[in-house]
Amino acid sequence: PKYGERDYKDYYNIGKVEDDNVWHTRIFPSDAEYDAFSKGTVSTENFIMACLEMCDWGRCAKGYVGFDDDLASIYVDNNKVEKKEKIGACYLLFPSNGEVTWVSKGTKPGQYEIEVKLNGGMFMRITSIVIVPFIS
């Protein structure tokens, strides 16, 4: 690697697909992560944050899509993400019903199905999905 570059790549690569019926889908946390790290009571109501790869020196490769470009559709448990609030290289994802938290509906509390589809550009790189418990 060149000086100042990362010597590894660690991300979820989201590529543009011409078929509108194809979505990139993942479960977060994965079953293995859930089994390893969910100890005690797990919150069913959470904040969800997605972090994107930061381009080297602010120069993104041709075709790179970020959330600012509004070229990506995102769903969490079949609910559209309508609002994204930027925090550094990360974005808090908000549900379409005006709420700020997500309530997991699966058999494992705090686990979500996240779907992403690019409507333009060529690729997106998500480095992290962070599930933050809501504490009332």
Side-chain angles (χ1 to χ4, degrees):
K2 296 178 189 172
Y3 179 76
E5 288 185 356
R6 294 185 302 182
D7 61 354
Y8 65 95
K9 300 292 181 190
D10 185 17
Y11 49 77
Y12 302 105
N13 195 52
I14 308 295
K16 173 80 169 116
V17 178
E18 294 303 321
D19 185 344
D20 283 341
N21 297 318
V22 176
W23 289 73
H24 295 271
T25 305
R26 293 195 82 128
I27 302 292
F28 290 97
S30 69
D31 288 334
E33 291 168 329
Y34 191 93
D35 294 342
F37 300 112
S38 63
K39 307 295 181 208
T41 303
V42 178
S43 176
T44 58
E45 185 175 2
N46 300 284
F47 297 99
I48 298 178
M49 186 166 47
C51 301
L52 302 180
E53 177 185 50
M54 294 184 68
C55 302
D56 291 334
W57 306 105
R59 292 186 305 260
C60 297
K62 185 177 179 180
Y64 180 79
V65 173
F67 287 136
D68 293 334
D69 302 322
D70 211 23
L71 296 175
S73 297
I74 309 161
Y75 281 77
V76 175
D77 285 346
N78 293 318
N79 294 305
K80 186 174 183 181
V81 172
E82 292 286 354
K83 181 180 175 191
K84 301 169 288 283
E85 190 167 314
K86 187 173 183 175
I87 302 172
C90 300
Y91 295 80
L92 278 170
L93 308 178
F94 297 105
S96 59
N97 59 5
E99 298 292 323
V100 295
T101 58
W102 298 88
V103 177
S104 56
K105 296 178 174 63
T107 58
K108 294 182 176 180
Q111 191 176 56
Y112 300 89
E113 179 182 73
I114 298 179
E115 301 170 282
V116 180
K117 179 180 73 158
L118 298 184
N119 304 314
M122 294 302 293
F123 67 97
M124 171 186 282
R125 292 180 177 147
I126 298 175
T127 59
S128 305
I129 297 287
V130 182
I131 310 296
V132 181
F134 173 75
I135 301 171
S136 57

